[in-house]
Amino acid sequence: MNETGSRKVMEPIFETIAELGNRGSRIIAGTDSPIVPYGFGLILEIEQLSEAGLGPSLAIRSATQLAAEALGAEDDLGTVEAGKIADLVLVKGDPTQNIKDLRRTEVVIVNGRVVTIPRLLNQP
């Protein structure tokens, strides 16, 4: 299926997401892993939520802050603050301006240790 065909299939879903967002619903990002490779599936989900009308910032929050709140874990997770648990992904660019910059991962820090991209790609 080409990009136009894919967009046509997704359009009703995007319209629903936009309407829910406009009504103030809390939309949380999820994944289809392992159907879509780990990590990349979440990036695709965030990109699609942005494209559906949430915009880049809210789409990113749907996978971080809002997800932590939905789990009742906002005291420990979801934002970068002193005293919270944080794994970090550093990207080249500014995904709040261009959501596709999420694909430009340069460094990943897990439990305080830098993890290489090849290692991440080879682990579930």
Side-chain angles (χ1 to χ4, degrees):
M1 184 178 301
N2 63 29
E3 189 173 328
T4 304
S6 296
R7 175 72 184 178
K8 193 169 192 79
V9 168
M10 294 299 293
E11 195 62 41
I13 296 168
F14 284 5
E15 289 172 3
T16 300
I17 291 168
E19 181 65 24
L20 288 168
N22 289 336
R23 292 181 182 216
S25 297
R26 185 179 306 193
I27 298 169
I28 308 301
T31 71
D32 287 329
S33 293
I35 297 167
V36 178
Y38 294 98
F40 191 62
L42 182 58
I43 290 171
L44 289 175
E45 177 86 7
I46 296 167
E47 288 177 1
Q48 289 175 335
L49 289 172
S50 178
E51 186 180 344
L54 297 186
S57 293
L58 184 53
I60 292 167
R61 285 183 51 231
S62 76
T64 56
Q65 181 183 5
L66 297 176
E69 290 171 1
L71 294 170
E74 65 272 17
D75 290 342
D76 297 315
L77 305 171
T79 57
V80 179
E81 298 178 60
K84 287 192 173 185
I85 301 166
D87 295 337
L88 302 173
V89 177
L90 307 178
V91 299
K92 188 172 188 170
D94 182 355
T96 65
Q97 299 300 311
N98 178 3
I99 197 70
K100 299 277 187 197
D101 284 347
L102 288 176
R103 296 179 185 209
R104 301 174 70 196
T105 300
E106 297 220 329
V107 175
V108 177
I109 302 171
V110 178
N111 294 325
R113 290 178 290 185
V114 174
V115 181
T116 66
I117 303 303
R119 181 172 170 216
L120 287 170
L121 292 173
N122 290 319
Q123 289 187 357

